[in-house]
Amino acid sequence: MTRVFSGIKPTGHLTLGNYLGAMRQWVQADQHRSDALFCVVDLHALTVDHDPARVRRLSRQAATLLLAAGLDPELCTLFVQSHVDEHARLSYLLECVATDGEMRRMIQYKVKAAQERERGGSVRLSLLTYPVLMAADILAYGTDEVPVGDDQAQHVELARDLAVRFNQRYGHSFVVPRATLPAVAARVMNLQDPGSKMGKSDDSGPGIVYLLDEPDVVRKKIMRAVTDSGRDVVYDREGRPGVANLLEILAACTDGNPSELASVHRSYGALKAAVAEAVVEVLGPVRARHQELCADPGYVEGVLRDGADKAREMARPVVDGAYRAIGLLPPVAAAEPVSGRVLNAAR
């Protein structure tokens, strides 16, 4: 059975972009067709300045929303990254295979490092090396497929390169994974800035629809979305990015086609109204289920505990094998205790 791994970082409240670009595919397809693991990658949230209490809070919220969206612990494995030590263990081995040049070519590192410097802050070493940790997340489980947005495809390519290099140098240890991209709404864009992704770490709230936004808030944000010059509703990603973003959101919510939907709506106002109602309808069940799960925190904790146990069982043989392959001495097993009676008899 194909093994799928994907993760979500608790650096902000989850958005419509997270749902349409990743979570819904996990729920509707990946957990049914594969041996699927889904992870709240909390270690990745430590690469920039952060509030520890907020990271814990957002980690729990992310796990709860993944369950609310429809992930079923009977069908998939849901866990928190830091609960499984094998991620950090393998990350160091892969750092010993990766190169400095590879890390500095990562597009997200260039962007985030520049942003950090503009704010007058220092760039943490973990921001440079976190793609190696992401590779460890993937390779520890013998992953075949990694469902990602197109902005993360470069990181999966790095995981492939590191797996091949490790296998060639030290013997076959890892499955070489491949990235899979959603066909529609792979990148939902910011409603106020259609040139930027609707990211959960972004502070510009008016352009971001959060999964836990009230229906009236969702409608207000979408009705105020930036459009383009002209009056006709046309699907043109390059020429009219604002309208194209709305059409892609509507298509993702209704299983439609952006070009065909463009011909149905005569004005920008009508299009926005249709998008708003479609989004409210899609997110309604998620919000309702989230509220139920928040009333039963013990259930969520149990899912995460069991998920970490399952993930650990899968990852440990792979990582232990990589430790042996690269030349590390296996730990010495503890000697069995000898009873006092046996010692006295020996004397």
Side-chain angles (χ1 to χ4, degrees):
M1 198 173 188
T2 300
R3 180 161 289 174
V4 169
F5 178 93
S6 200
I8 201 155
K9 186 163 57 174
T11 51
H13 299 289
L14 299 187
T15 72
L16 179 67
N18 297 127
Y19 182 76
L20 296 180
M23 293 165 61
R24 193 169 65 163
Q25 177 179 306
W26 301 350
V27 169
Q28 295 181 352
D30 293 332
Q31 69 173 342
H32 297 283
R33 68 174 181 84
S34 63
D35 181 10
L37 299 100
F38 302 109
C39 182
V40 179
V41 287
D42 54 344
L43 293 176
H44 291 292
L46 310 185
T47 59
V48 294
D49 191 29
H50 63 277
D51 174 10
R54 186 170 188 265
V55 171
R56 285 190 290 269
R57 185 170 63 252
L58 290 176
S59 296
R60 179 182 292 276
Q61 185 186 86
T64 306
L65 278 169
L66 289 171
L67 291 170
L71 288 185
D72 185 346
E74 298 297 321
L75 298 175
C76 67
T77 303
L78 175 63
F79 65 104
V80 175
Q81 179 190 31
S82 63
H83 294 176
V84 180
D85 293 344
E86 278 62 34
H87 292 254
R89 289 180 62 210
L90 181 55
S91 182
Y92 179 73
L93 291 197
L94 296 180
E95 285 186 13
C96 296
V97 177
T99 68
D100 177 75
E102 285 176 315
M103 297 299 98
R104 296 187 187 280
R105 285 195 295 271
M106 294 288 113
I107 295 172
Q108 289 210 2
Y109 169 73
K110 292 179 180 179
V111 172
K112 292 181 179 179
Q115 292 172 344
E116 195 68 28
R117 292 189 185 100
E118 286 177 5
R119 289 194 289 263
S122 58
V123 179
R124 300 186 182 192
L125 179 61
S126 57
L127 185 62
L128 178 66
T129 60
Y130 96 90
V132 178
L133 176 58
M134 182 175 175
D137 299 337
I138 296 166
L139 299 181
Y141 297 98
T143 302
D144 299 297
E145 296 182 2
V146 187
V148 292
D150 55 3
D151 59 323
Q152 291 290 335
Q154 186 186 33
H155 292 157
V156 181
E157 285 302 312
L158 175 68
R160 289 173 55 85
D161 292 343
L162 295 180
V164 170
R165 192 177 305 155
F166 194 102
N167 290 346
Q168 290 175 342
R169 290 181 181 176
Y170 307 113
H172 185 80
S173 302
F174 302 117
V175 173
V176 180
R178 61 185 178 275
T180 57
L181 305 176
V184 177
R187 292 189 75 183
V188 177
M189 312 308 283
N190 190 298
L191 297 174
Q192 294 297 317
D193 179 12
S196 301
K197 185 178 71 169
M198 187 183 286
K200 59 183 178 296
S201 302
D202 196 335
D203 292 329
S204 56
I208 303 172
V209 174
Y210 297 103
L211 297 189
L212 296 179
D213 278 346
E214 295 288 341
D216 286 346
V217 174
V218 173
R219 293 187 182 97
K220 184 180 296 185
K221 288 180 177 180
I222 293 175
M223 294 306 294
R224 293 179 178 176
V226 169
T227 50
D228 313 289
S229 59
R231 296 183 178 180
D232 297 334
V233 179
V234 178
Y235 181 59
D236 179 358
R237 167 50 72 185
E238 297 299 324
R240 298 188 179 182
V243 172
N245 187 39
L246 292 171
L247 287 167
E248 289 181 356
I249 292 172
L250 182 59
C253 290
T254 62
D255 295 323
N257 178 280
S259 297
E260 294 175 0
L261 289 168
S263 64
V264 174
H265 299 91
R266 301 298 181 186
S267 68
Y268 291 167
L271 172 61
K272 289 180 177 180
V275 174
E277 293 311 311
V279 172
V280 167
E281 184 174 350
V282 163
L283 297 187
V286 178
R287 290 180 62 253
R289 179 59 177 152
H290 176 267
Q291 192 170 21
E292 294 174 359
L293 290 169
C294 286
D296 187 10
Y299 172 76
V300 177
E301 291 173 0
V303 168
L304 296 179
R305 181 179 59 250
D306 294 345
D309 289 342
K310 289 171 60 180
R312 198 175 298 112
E313 289 178 5
M314 285 184 263
R316 183 163 293 168
V318 176
V319 177
D320 285 349
Y323 267 58
R324 290 192 299 271
I326 204 170
L328 298 178
L329 190 67
V332 179
E336 294 185 6
V338 181
S339 69
R341 182 183 303 173
V342 172
L343 286 174
N344 292 331
R347 293 192 186 110

